[in-house]
Amino acid sequence: MWKADGPQTATNGTVRRIPLDGYNVDLDDIYDLAVEKGLAVVDESTKRRIGENRKLLEEIVDREPVYGVTTGYGEMVYITIDKSKETELQTNVVRSHAFCVGDPLSREESRAILAARINALCRGYSGVREELVEAMVTFLNGGIVPLIPEAGSVGASGDLGPLSHLALALIGEGYVLGDNDEKVPTAEMLAKRNLRPLELKYKEGLALINGTSAMTGMGALILRWANDQIKQAEIVAALVLENQKASDGAFRPEGHVLGRPHPGQIDSAGNALKLLEGSKLIRTHEELKMELGQVRNGSAGQSKVYLQKAYTLRCIPQVTGAVKEAVEYARKVVTREINSSNDNPLFFPGKEVFHGGNFHGQPVAMAMDFACLALTQLGVVSERRTNRLLNRHLNNGLPEFLVKSDPGLNCGLSGLQYAACDLVAENRTLCTPASVQSISCNGDNQDVVSMGLTAARKCKRVLKNNYYILAIELLAAVQAVDLAGQYDRLSPVGKITYQTVRSRVPTVDKDRSMSDDVYRIAGLLQEAELLRRVREAGVDIK
């Protein structure tokens, strides 16, 4: 039995006790466990279920062949293995499949993967011992983080490679992350904690590595962050709407609830109205209609009154709402997968041994590709709004590139758009689906693979790029407020947004390198600081 040498808790902030039972874990639970705001708990009923299932496996092995328990793996399934070799067989599959390469996943990502794998095994159909789950919980709660290289999973027989690096740490081999995320031999860490390596028994090596928990653990974090990013994109867009003196007519509920009732679109339109409430810059459609009538005075001809704005302003609910729904779909898929038995074989009381393919990552791969595409579009429309702010023909009479003084001598924010364009182009490249990039392997046993972890990694990259793209739009929006002298006429949320940025980055009075400015504001968005401040002001956006 494993026992931690000290309290099994992580103390970064408020700690939640989070039950892992295989059935009721959501993305927020995985997130809290990953960022060390949660303490994993496996209750007695779950332990009892795991123990009963283990007894069932041991009874079955005594009377019939079982894949990966009395046979070889993959293409070598036709080779029978003596039961006396149980530990050697399970240990070898872990060692042989710990083949990943590349940079290590972050501490948070590895913890999310570990939490997701624990929950899958807690469902109770994988045939593992209670001791195995206890060892994993000790790692998670004790802050022992397996070092998992990022590349190498094809996502077919689950995430074999990444999960093997996780399993390798449990048996005292491989590496873990030190206190400063340095590479530390696992044996050294276990000795320091007065813990002994786990000895694997029937099915346990296979149960650890033969599942989708790497793509789902990472996916849980990405989609949790994506929700916050989308809401902050709406906050940034609202400030641009004020800059552009847009009409609120495009956000009125009747056009969405009655006209085109997509839930994401309705939520996004409602958010816009909340964010713009109290603005002295936003126009109503009635005001614009009256102004246009006065200018034209009943005759045809040109005017400077625009009843409607460009699509990146007017169609925010339609575009951002679609992004919301795509991410919500992905969240549902990943949540369902986190609460699934996704290895092989599985053992159900009173049923034949299930030799199937629950380990295949296709549902998650397609969901993460969909989220990747959606988040890319979020960056696309952000850059286009930045373009409107920087273009003197589109920005309501402000100087080109928002130069405050001596245009020509100073270039203002023109350079920032290059960065945004580059990142948008990279995101578009990353939209090529991973979920259709099947490459047959394992002697053509794995002749269709999902590339689910690749899809998650791509989506993570798009998410990161978007923080920079949105930061650039936000820097342009607050600079426009300064140049137009609009601060006093902003909505309460607009003022909060402006103040949040200006507390970190000063107005651009003359040319300076702006890389650090972008980093500061991207960091603010990544930490969801802007969203937190808006919520603290009592504005609850969906």
Side-chain angles (χ1 to χ4, degrees), residues 440-513:
S440 182
C441 49
N442 189 237
D444 277 346
N445 173 52
Q446 295 184 25
D447 56 353
V448 59
V449 302
S450 77
M451 296 297 180
L453 187 59
T454 305
R457 288 166 52 214
K458 291 193 308 97
C459 194
K460 179 180 74 171
R461 181 68 183 179
V462 169
L463 184 84
K464 181 179 179 180
N465 286 347
N466 275 357
Y467 287 124
Y468 295 125
I469 296 167
L470 289 166
I472 289 168
E473 181 186 2
L474 188 48
L475 285 166
V478 296
Q479 181 78 1
V481 170
D482 288 332
L483 295 185
Q486 294 174 333
Y487 176 80
D488 290 339
R489 303 184 69 198
L490 291 176
S491 66
V493 171
K495 289 177 180 175
I496 291 170
T497 304
Y498 176 91
Q499 292 163 0
T500 302
V501 174
R502 283 290 173 248
S503 68
R504 289 164 173 76
V505 174
T507 302
V508 182
D509 294 318
K510 59 182 180 180
D511 283 353
R512 64 171 186 259
S513 171

Side-chain angles (χ1 to χ4, degrees), residues 258-275:
L258 300 178
R260 196 187 193 198
H262 292 295
Q265 179 176 327
I266 292 169
D267 286 349
S268 186
N271 288 346
L273 292 178
K274 292 177 185 177
L275 295 168

Side-chain angles (χ1 to χ4, degrees), residues 150-172:
E150 65 179 355
S153 175
V154 298
S157 192
D159 291 308
L160 291 173
L163 294 178
S164 289
H165 286 273
L166 183 156
L168 205 62
L170 289 168
I171 65 173

Side-chain angles (χ1 to χ4, degrees), residues 189-262:
M189 178 66 76
L190 295 187
K192 181 179 177 181
R193 298 292 188 92
N194 195 27
L195 295 170
R196 55 186 171 82
L198 187 72
E199 185 178 85
L200 299 175
K201 299 297 183 180
Y202 287 146
K203 176 65 179 11
E204 291 180 334
L206 184 59
L208 282 168
I209 74 173
N210 185 209
T212 58
S213 299
M215 65 180 81
T216 55
M218 279 188 63
L221 292 184
I222 292 164
L223 297 170
R224 169 63 160 69
W225 288 322
N227 257 5
D228 289 347
Q229 185 175 90
I230 294 166
K231 292 180 177 68
Q232 291 185 117
E234 291 179 312
I235 296 169
V236 177
L239 186 58
V240 178
L241 287 168
E242 293 199 74
N243 279 323
Q244 295 285 283
K245 298 180 180 177
S247 165
D248 65 3
F251 312 109
R252 305 313 304 176
E254 57 271 18
H256 309 281
V257 175
L258 300 178
R260 196 187 193 198
H262 292 295

Side-chain angles (χ1 to χ4, degrees), residues 17 43 75 93 97 123 161 164 170 177 190 192 232 260 279 309 317 343 355 387 396 403 418 440 449 499 502 520 536:
R17 291 176 63 84
D43 64 23
E75 181 63 14
V93 77
H97 285 74
R123 194 167 175 87
S164 289
L170 289 168
L177 297 176
L190 295 187
K192 181 179 177 181
Q232 291 185 117
R260 196 187 193 198
S279 173
K309 289 290 187 180
D343 60 299
H355 285 93
N387 179 70
N396 282 341
V403 176
Y418 299 136
S440 182
V449 302
Q499 292 163 0
R502 283 290 173 248
R520 290 189 190 101
E536 286 176 349

